[in-house]
Amino acid sequence: MSHTARSTSRTIFLSLVIITGCTVMGCSLFDKRPSANQQMAKFNKQRVFFAPYDNVWRAAHAVIKFPIAQENQDTGVIETEYIKGIDGWLPPDVAKPPSSGIRYKLMFTFAKGTADGRESTRVTIDKKMEILRDFFSQPEPLESDGLEEKILFYRIERELVVMDALKRAGN
């Protein structure tokens, strides 16, 4: 094999290696795997309560402090009206109110079931956030940090504990 043929084959080989490497690296740049925060948010959106469906429904109504747009106990759905970001829940570590263009609504979904042989109710809370940049553009979706959902689950749980204590005290 001559020197020029060896040089040409080496150049072709290096070119193929570079093109293959760029293709593999380029594809990984566009990989849309969810972040750890997004994966944790999915887990924080559901909670199972070992209580009758009707009690969980009443407890959820007791903790929802916003106007309700629609509800149907038979299908297990409660949806609030849109809430302005400045009128809604603010985390304790936030010093300034959010942008006036932010709004959100809460969607509660209830499902009856049994877990470990006990009556249970699964509650899913989905916080649909969006920002309105200006009058002409479409709303852009935002991710919830999951804190308000955790607090609502905690409050529902506390309401159920109080209901249970009142029921036992009445007997």
Side-chain angles (χ1 to χ4, degrees):
M1 195 182 229
S2 71
H3 178 64
T4 56
R6 197 176 295 153
S7 174
T8 305
S9 64
R10 185 177 287 166
T11 305
I12 291 172
F13 176 73
L14 286 175
S15 298
L16 287 173
V17 168
I18 290 171
I19 290 171
T20 304
C22 289
T23 303
V24 170
M25 292 302 290
C27 289
S28 68
L29 292 175
F30 297 107
D31 191 11
K32 296 294 182 190
R33 291 184 187 147
S35 69
N37 287 340
Q38 290 171 331
Q39 289 176 340
M40 286 305 293
K42 288 180 185 177
F43 295 121
N44 292 332
K45 289 184 176 188
Q46 288 188 354
R47 175 100 26 107
V48 175
F49 297 100
F50 292 101
Y53 181 86
D54 291 337
N55 290 358
V56 177
W57 181 268
R58 280 193 295 274
H61 267 278
V63 302
I64 298 173
K65 304 297 180 196
F66 304 113
I68 295 175
Q70 66 178 12
E71 66 177 305
N72 186 334
Q73 190 171 357
D74 294 332
T75 59
V77 176
I78 299 174
E79 183 177 328
T80 67
E81 298 280 345
Y82 272 106
I83 305 150
K84 294 180 184 175
I86 56 175
D87 295 336
W89 182 82
L90 293 176
D93 63 339
V94 173
K96 66 176 189 165
S99 164
S100 61
I102 293 177
R103 68 180 188 172
Y104 67 93
K105 66 180 172 180
L106 298 168
M107 295 181 64
F108 293 75
T109 309
F110 300 81
K112 295 179 189 180
T114 57
D116 299 329
R118 297 169 34 195
E119 185 176 15
S120 65
T121 306
R122 183 185 69 217
V123 179
T124 305
I125 301 175
D126 193 18
K127 184 176 179 180
K128 301 263 188 204
M129 293 181 65
E130 57 189 27
I131 186 166
L132 303 165
R133 300 261 181 222
D134 57 41
F135 183 74
F136 299 105
S137 60
Q138 291 292 321
E140 298 173 23
L142 295 174
E143 281 293 320
S144 170
D145 59 5
L147 291 175
E148 184 171 15
E149 293 92 321
K150 282 183 181 182
I151 288 172
L152 289 167
F153 284 133
Y154 172 77
R155 289 179 179 167
I156 291 171
E157 185 177 355
R158 299 313 310 158
E159 285 290 325
L160 290 170
V161 167
V162 168
M163 281 182 198
D164 190 45
L166 289 173
K167 181 180 172 185
R168 278 190 266 142
N171 287 337

